[in-house]
């Protein structure tokens, strides 16, 4: 008999093939349990690696054991001691078959549980993503979800969120790694969504989840990197340290992620991924608290956040990021608080300049200056500062978005729309960017895209999103809906007006002539009683209520508390009547637009007659 046939027959007789199947199934089951269960008990990732290595190394030994020993009805015996008979071999085979079936059944149950029980159905995520621009999931892409606060008092959410955001910011700067923006990633906070759906929504192939346990000066950070396609845990680990070690802990996590994704680091990142922003743990905690307020645009807590950052820079006078965040808070304060305008601007500029002197590589202080200059109608300086911020850090979503809004507000609607698309490519669920993008869809006559994008913006909690939906409803002949949307959407911009101002304005915009006259009279009364900075909603309303000349006059006198509200509408189809007024040429010169246009060329709907002299249609 040939050697090959004899050997294969002997393997079958000794049940080695059954033993191999049993071992493979049991090994796979053990590895799956280790990778999916160990992280929940903070068992180090090194233990998982030991399990994997052990099952691989153990395979040849298991096969040798099955060659020399056999499972019989009387127990395990050496093969040489067995007198083989058909009944014994058949009985032994049946027992091994049953064992193999049992192991494989458990494995299948675990797989089904992971796919259909442990993770919720992806439909809710897909619905959330329907308005997001299509994203291509590259092989090296990641979303950092907010970390869970496991601290005893459950009062360290700002810290756990901050840890996730800091890691996100560090990873976003790694070349060849696509990182989903903060707003999009954090929109899944508190939702037990299916990872495959999140990956599809954000266009990423991996997700970083984690938890933070902070008690006193001690902190434990647990993180795990998961493939969105199949839920496989690529890596997990727990890190313990003091608060003074927090940047080192972040560095170790970020480097472990790049290692797991097999990313080749270049330049300075070979030595450091997470910069040490401050050596003072208390100052860092205050920075994280203020960052939470800034991200939420929580105007009620702006004073608290500003006070905290002032204390942070007192504790560490060289804390550049704290100065930068102070500048950013003051740059937007007039939109969310009653802070005096000149004070907000001066404080923002002062802190931005300090931050730039301490760390010229930071983008945030330049973006804050751009926002202030825009509010001051120093249009050329605003665009220059924002473009510099984007050049310093192309992953800075705030700088990218602010640049897009400045481009649109100064007439460069095509460039501004493209800039919004770049912003949404980084952070596809950013509500305000979706709102502005939806407006441009509507202005271009693309109602289908406008509807899905604007609806998502409103669903994400952007109050002004409903005002934008009102114009869509009006375009579709649904004026009752338009009034309802506008009533809710304009409330935030009508501080200083009567309590029913939003409904009065909505009915004036979308109702009968008598209601239009009532809305104009309400704005007249507001302007007559106002001596300081006026609300941007006043000229916005006049422009849309058929009083474009008066709207230009109000805006020309001095900056409002929200110029963008008016200027965005000025370059829309509804602003055409204002752009065609004889006084428009002098208006754009007065508000600083012609200086910008002389530098960058005429905007989309204007032609240059001479330096500083433009005609628009």
């Amino acid at each position: 008999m040939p050697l090959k046939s004899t050997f294969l027959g002997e393997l079958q007789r000794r049940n080695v093939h059954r033993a191999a199947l049993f071992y493979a199934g049991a090994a796979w089951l053990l590895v799956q349990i280790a990778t999916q269960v160990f992280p929940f008990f903070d068992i180090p990732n090194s233990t998982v690696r030991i399990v994997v290595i052990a099952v691989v190394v153990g395979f040849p030994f298991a096969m040798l054991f099955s060659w020399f020993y056999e499972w019989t009805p009387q127990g395990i015996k050496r093969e040489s001691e067995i007198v083989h008979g058909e009944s014994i071999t058949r009985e032994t085979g049946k027992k091994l078959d049953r064992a193999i079936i049992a192991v494989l059944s458990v494995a299948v149950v675990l797989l089904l549980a992971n796919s259909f029980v442990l993770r919720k159905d992806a439909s809710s995520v897909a619905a959330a993503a329907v308005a997001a621009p299509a994203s291509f999931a590259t092989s090296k892409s990641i979303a950092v979800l907010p970390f869970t606060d496991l601290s005893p008092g459950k009062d360290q959410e700002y810290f756990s969120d901050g840890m996730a955001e800091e890691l996100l910011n560090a990873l976003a700067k790694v070349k060849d790694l696509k990182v989903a923006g903060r707003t999009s990633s954090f929109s899944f906070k508190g939702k037990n969504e299916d990872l495959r759906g999140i990956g599809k929504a954000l266009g990423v192939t991996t997700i970083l989840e984690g938890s933070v346990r902070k008690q006193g000066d001690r902190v434990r950070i647990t993180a795990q990197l998961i493939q969105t396609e199949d839920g496989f845990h690529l890596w997990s680990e727990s890190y313990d340290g003091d608060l003074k070690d927090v940047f080192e802990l972040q560095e170790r996590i970020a480097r472990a992620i790049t290692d797991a994704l097999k990313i080749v680091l270049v330049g300075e990142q070979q030595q450091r991924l997470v910069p040490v922003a401050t050596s003072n743990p208390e100052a860092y905690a205050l920075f994280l608290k203020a960052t939470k307020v800034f991200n939420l645009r929580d105007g009620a807590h702006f004073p608290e956040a500003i006070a905290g950052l002032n204390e942070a820079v007192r504790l560490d006078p060289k804390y550049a990021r704290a100065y930068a965040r102070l500048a950013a808070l003051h740059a937007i304060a007039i939109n969310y608080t009653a802070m005096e305008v000149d004070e907000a601007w001066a404080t923002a500029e002062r802190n931005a300049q300090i931050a730039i002197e301490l760390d010229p590589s930071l983008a945030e202080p330049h973006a804050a200056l751009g926002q202030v200059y825009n509010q001051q109608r120093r249009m050329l300086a605003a665009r220059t500062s924002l473009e510099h911020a984007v050049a310093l850090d192309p992953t800075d979503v705030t700088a990218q978005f602010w640049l897009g809004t400045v481009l649109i507000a100064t007439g460069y609607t095509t460039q501004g729309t493209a800039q919004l698309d770049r912003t949404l490519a980084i952070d596809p669920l950013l509500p305000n960017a979706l709102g502005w993008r939806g407006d441009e869809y509507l202005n271009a006559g693309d109602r289908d895209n406008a509807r899905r994008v604007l609806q998502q913006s409103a669903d994400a909690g952007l109050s002004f999103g409903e005002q934008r939906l009102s114009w869509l409803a009006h375009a579709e002949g649904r004026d009752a809906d338009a009034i309802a949307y506008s009533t809710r959407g304009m409330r935030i911009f009508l501080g200083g007006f009567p309590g029913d101002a939003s409904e009065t304005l909505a009915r004036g915009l979308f109702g009968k002539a008598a209601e239009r006259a009532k809305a104009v009279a309400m704005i007249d009364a507001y302007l007559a009683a106002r001596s300081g900075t006026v609300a941007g909603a006043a000229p916005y309303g006049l422009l849309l209520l058929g009083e474009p000349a008066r709207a230009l006059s109000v805006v020309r006198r001095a900056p409002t508390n929200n110029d963008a509200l008016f200027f965005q509408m000025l370059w829309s189809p509804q602003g055409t009547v204002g752009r065609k007024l004889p006084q428009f040429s002098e208006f754009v010169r007065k508000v600083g637009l012609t200086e910008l246009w002389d530098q960058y060329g005429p905007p989309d709907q204007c032609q240059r007659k001479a330096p500083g002299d433009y005609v628009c249609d």
Side-chain angles (χ1 to χ4, degrees):
M1 181 179 294
L3 178 62
K4 182 178 179 181
S5 298
T6 303
F7 179 68
L8 292 177
E10 193 66 15
L11 286 176
Q12 184 176 1
R13 187 181 68 80
R14 296 172 185 244
N15 291 306
V16 175
H17 63 299
R18 287 188 172 95
L21 285 173
F22 178 80
Y23 187 92
W28 182 88
L29 183 60
L30 180 61
V31 170
Q32 289 301 304
I33 292 173
T35 56
Q36 298 184 40
V37 175
F38 283 15
F40 293 100
F41 295 95
D42 291 337
I43 298 174
N45 190 52
S46 57
T47 306
V48 179
R49 289 194 291 270
I50 291 171
V51 171
V52 174
I53 293 170
V55 298
V56 172
V57 172
F59 181 77
F61 292 99
M63 296 304 96
L64 285 172
F65 184 86
S66 66
W67 178 269
F68 291 109
Y69 292 88
E70 187 165 339
W71 184 15
T72 74
Q74 292 76 36
I76 296 175
K77 293 184 178 182
R78 284 182 62 87
E79 197 278 335
S80 60
E81 298 174 355
I82 301 173
V83 178
H84 284 275
E86 184 179 359
S87 60
I88 294 177
T89 302
R90 183 177 299 165
E91 186 174 353
T92 302
K94 287 181 178 180
K95 288 186 176 181
L96 280 171
D97 288 343
R98 286 195 290 269
I100 292 169
I101 292 170
V103 168
L104 292 178
S105 298
V106 174
V108 170
V109 170
L110 178 63
L111 180 62
L112 292 174
N114 181 59
S115 300
F116 301 104
V117 178
L118 298 179
R119 299 288 181 185
K120 287 176 63 178
D121 185 79
S123 59
S124 58
V125 180
V130 68
S135 299
F136 176 69
T138 65
S139 59
K140 295 180 180 179
S141 53
I142 187 171
V144 181
L145 301 187
F147 285 10
T148 304
D149 175 23
L150 296 182
S151 303
K154 303 297 182 186
D155 57 351
Q156 300 296 312
E157 184 180 29
Y158 77 92
F159 191 83
S160 58
D161 282 356
M163 291 301 97
E165 184 173 358
E166 295 284 88
L167 285 167
L168 186 154
N169 291 337
L171 293 170
K173 295 176 175 61
V174 173
K175 184 181 179 182
D176 297 329
L177 177 61
K178 174 188 173 182
V179 181
R182 179 200 174 279
T183 304
S184 297
S185 294
F186 276 50
S187 68
F188 296 100
K189 183 175 182 178
K191 303 174 183 177
N192 185 26
E193 301 286 7
D194 177 74
L195 294 185
R196 282 165 293 195
I198 296 176
K200 182 179 179 181
L202 303 183
V204 298
T205 57
T206 55
I207 284 177
L208 181 70
E209 292 182 325
S211 63
V212 175
R213 180 180 177 87
K214 180 172 173 282
Q215 190 168 16
D217 291 333
R218 297 291 298 173
V219 61
R220 162 172 279 200
I221 303 174
T222 299
Q224 50 192 356
L225 186 64
I226 307 167
Q227 287 183 165
T228 58
E229 183 179 7
D230 54 13
F232 183 79
H233 286 64
L234 295 173
W235 160 87
S236 64
E237 191 61 270
S238 295
Y239 301 86
D240 296 284
D242 294 327
L243 288 179
K244 67 179 186 300
D245 302 322
V246 68
F247 295 110
E248 295 305 319
L249 298 178
Q250 293 172 16
E251 174 71 16
R252 290 167 60 191
I253 296 171
R255 196 161 292 276
I257 291 168
T258 57
D259 288 345
L261 296 177
K262 296 180 173 58
I263 293 172
V264 178
L265 300 175
V266 297
E268 295 180 356
Q269 291 182 339
Q270 291 177 314
Q271 283 72 46
R272 189 87 195 173
L273 288 169
V274 180
V276 179
T278 178
S279 59
N280 190 298
E282 185 179 351
Y284 185 58
L286 291 168
F287 172 82
L288 293 181
K289 288 180 180 179
T291 295
K292 186 175 182 66
V293 173
F294 176 77
N295 288 335
L296 294 175
R297 301 299 193 265
D298 185 1
H301 291 93
F302 268 38
E304 179 183 334
I306 289 170
L309 287 171
N310 281 325
E311 175 63 10
V313 298
R314 187 193 69 79
L315 293 168
D316 183 356
K318 295 185 178 182
Y319 195 174
R321 292 181 64 196
Y323 283 110
R325 190 52 46 87
L326 267 172
L329 276 165
H330 283 91
I332 61 175
I334 63 172
N335 294 328
Y336 299 96
T337 72
M339 185 179 294
E340 201 275 325
V341 172
D342 291 335
E343 176 192 353
W345 288 344
T347 307
E349 288 191 68
R350 182 173 64 253
N351 283 292
Q353 294 297 346
I354 295 173
I356 292 169
E357 290 174 9
L358 290 170
D359 187 350
S361 69
L362 289 178
E364 185 174 30
H366 292 282
L369 286 175
Q371 185 73 348
V372 170
Y373 296 155
N374 181 47
Q375 293 166 356
Q376 294 173 336
R377 297 183 181 165
R378 298 161 62 184
M379 305 298 192
L380 181 57
R383 179 163 172 174
T384 301
S385 292
L386 287 166
E387 287 180 336
H388 186 53
V390 169
L392 284 171
D393 185 1
T395 67
D396 189 315
V397 174
T398 299
Q400 293 272 10
F401 171 63
W402 283 351
L403 177 57
T405 62
V406 164
L407 288 169
I408 290 173
T410 54
Y412 298 99
T413 52
T414 301
Q415 293 181 48
T417 300
Q419 183 62 38
L420 291 176
D421 286 339
R422 283 189 285 274
T423 303
L424 290 168
I426 302 170
D427 207 344
L429 303 182
L430 185 65
N432 214 352
L434 286 168
W436 279 72
R437 187 64 182 91
D439 283 344
E440 295 312 312
Y441 276 130
L442 186 58
N443 291 341
D446 187 350
R447 293 182 185 176
D448 290 339
N449 276 321
R451 180 180 299 102
R452 66 181 181 81
V453 173
L454 291 175
Q455 187 61 59
Q456 188 180 22
S457 176
D459 290 345
L462 185 68
S463 57
F464 190 52
E466 293 203 276
Q467 173 62 15
R468 290 166 159 142
L469 281 169
S470 70
W471 289 103
L472 174 63
H474 176 65
E476 296 176 336
R478 297 181 290 111
D479 282 342
D481 290 338
I483 291 171
Y485 282 135
S486 184
T487 298
R488 293 190 295 268
M490 282 299 294
R491 285 196 182 104
I492 189 175
F493 300 113
L494 291 167
F497 280 81
D500 61 349
S502 60
E503 182 177 358
T504 300
L505 179 59
R507 293 189 177 280
L509 293 174
F510 306 113
K512 299 178 180 178
E515 293 172 312
R516 182 176 295 260
K518 182 180 178 181
V520 171
M522 176 190 70
I523 296 175
D524 286 341
Y526 165 81
L527 293 172
R530 195 78 178 181
S531 58
T533 302
V534 303
Y540 169 88
L542 289 173
L543 177 68
L544 299 172
L545 290 166
E547 300 286 340
R550 293 186 55 211
L552 295 182
S553 177
V554 171
V555 174
R556 177 178 170 172
R557 284 201 297 267
T560 69
N561 74 346
N562 194 336
D563 272 359
L565 195 64
F566 170 81
F567 279 102
Q568 183 190 16
M569 191 59 71
L570 181 64
W571 298 107
S572 73
Q574 291 93 330
T576 303
V577 63
R579 298 194 302 271
K580 289 186 174 181
L581 290 173
Q583 60 266 48
F584 187 72
S585 294
E586 179 60 26
F587 167 80
V588 294
R589 187 162 38 248
K590 178 69 175 178
V591 299
L593 285 173
T594 54
E595 180 188 14
L596 175 70
W597 296 348
D598 284 345
Q599 180 70 30
Y600 285 93
D604 294 2
Q605 301 177 75
C606 301
Q607 297 81 41
R608 179 179 175 179
K609 297 170 62 180
D613 186 10
Y614 293 81
V615 60
C616 303
D617 53 37

